[in-house]
Amino acid sequence: MEFTTQDKGRYTEVAASGRLNMVAAPKLREVINDVVAAGGKRIVVNLAETSFMDSSGLGALIGCLKLARQSGGDLRIAAVQPQVTMVLELTSMHRVLTPHGTPDEAFPND
Amino acid sequence: MTDILARRTLEEPAVEQAIEDLHGVLDQLWHDAAFVPAMDQMAFSTAVIEAASNVVRHGVAAQGSELLLGVELTVASGYLRAVISEIGAAPLDPVPDLEGPDLTALPDDALLEDYDESGRGLSMIRALVTTVTVERQGDSNVWVLSRDAGEGH
């Protein structure tokens, strides 16, 4: 899995491409840690190119969300594909990780 | 006699690379069995990866053995089946609780800190397949996952 971090002004986008499984989950945590350590408050994980997520990947997203909130920010997810939607709904995690259509919609202009 | 429509197998050391390879084997299976509905493919693949990841993460080699992951995937008329073996493993102790916690047990207004970061694998497997069993066979712990799929389901 490849991660690409980009400063979008209103938020930092982390695009995740590939399979978010037990191999990729620790890497996601590192990437989000780095964004938070660099002062990033609003983070969008763009899942448009994430074809698969398992419970390790979901656990990493929850850990990253907690980290972002603890540092006074927030983490949102966008462009979720069908398999990821299935896992979020199966585990009821869509309650705390609500999917947004696009990264821009995750943090609208305020 | 059961009609086997497609079959793929994998056997290699139970390390992270085996999970990446298993994704490839699943892709090959669905290439061979493209008639299986997308929802069934997605649910079954997710359960298989969860079970195999469980072996890689928690499997313990028996003394003097190398721990191997064995996977046999079968598409038959009416169902999908995965036999996932921890080969050369110590017996499971404790035997996993296949009843597991209820995924929807948290109330609607649960706070973020109420959500754990791990421990969802087994409940996910149970929700994604029709039956799941685990038993000791020789030097292996063997998981069998079966999902009703295709015509009539």
Side-chain angles (χ1 to χ4, degrees), chain B residues 40-148:
Chain B
D40 289 313
Q41 293 188 17
M42 216 158 69
F44 185 71
S45 291
T46 306
V48 167
I49 293 292
E50 285 293 337
S53 299
N54 203 51
V55 172
V56 170
R57 200 179 296 114
H58 301 298
V60 178
Q63 204 170 4
S65 292
E66 181 190 20
L67 186 68
L68 299 178
L69 171 70
V71 180
E72 182 190 333
L73 306 170
T74 308
V75 176
S77 47
Y79 69 90
L80 310 168
R81 196 169 85 125
V83 179
I84 295 161
S85 306
E86 307 179 45
I87 302 164
L92 291 167
D93 181 29
V95 174
D97 175 16
L98 293 180
E99 297 306 307
D102 183 359
L103 290 169
T104 57
L106 287 177
D108 288 347
D109 58 351
L111 299 171
L112 178 58
E113 51 263 39
D114 298 328
Y115 291 89
D116 289 330
E117 292 175 37
S118 61
R120 285 189 186 80
L122 276 183
S123 353
M124 272 177 56
I125 294 170
R126 281 170 44 226
L128 291 165
V129 297
T130 313
T131 61
V132 50
T133 60
V134 58
E135 64 177 31
R136 185 76 181 167
Q137 287 180 14
D139 69 345
S140 303
N141 301 317
V142 181
W143 298 76
V144 180
L145 278 50
S146 181
R147 179 181 167 94
D148 295 342

Side-chain angles (χ1 to χ4, degrees), chain A:
Chain A
M1 166 156 252
E2 296 292 326
F3 297 100
T4 312
T5 304
Q6 211 179 343
D7 183 353
K8 295 282 194 175
R10 294 203 311 278
Y11 59 88
T12 303
E13 177 186 309
V14 175
S17 176
R19 291 159 172 148
L20 187 47
N21 57 18
M22 69 176 287
V23 183
K27 295 180 194 162
L28 173 65
R29 290 178 192 264
E30 278 176 32
V31 169
I32 300 296
N33 244 313
D34 289 348
V35 172
V36 171
K41 295 287 183 206
R42 295 169 154 197
I43 304 164
V44 179
V45 181
N46 184 346
L47 296 170
E49 301 294 327
T50 299
S51 58
F52 182 94
M53 178 177 77
D54 67 4
S55 63
S56 327
L58 179 62
L61 276 180
I62 296 165
C64 292
L65 171 61
K66 288 180 178 176
L67 178 70
R69 295 261 178 95
Q70 280 159 10
S71 67
D74 202 6
L75 177 143
R76 298 178 184 172
I77 58 174
V80 174
Q81 300 304 302
Q83 190 273 349
V84 176
T85 301
M86 178 190 76
V87 170
L88 286 170
E89 291 180 353
L90 196 65
T91 55
S92 300
M93 290 312 301
H94 58 296
R95 289 181 191 165
V96 289
L97 280 167
T98 307
H100 297 268
T102 64
D104 274 345
E105 287 168 31
F107 286 107
N109 276 313
D110 46 22

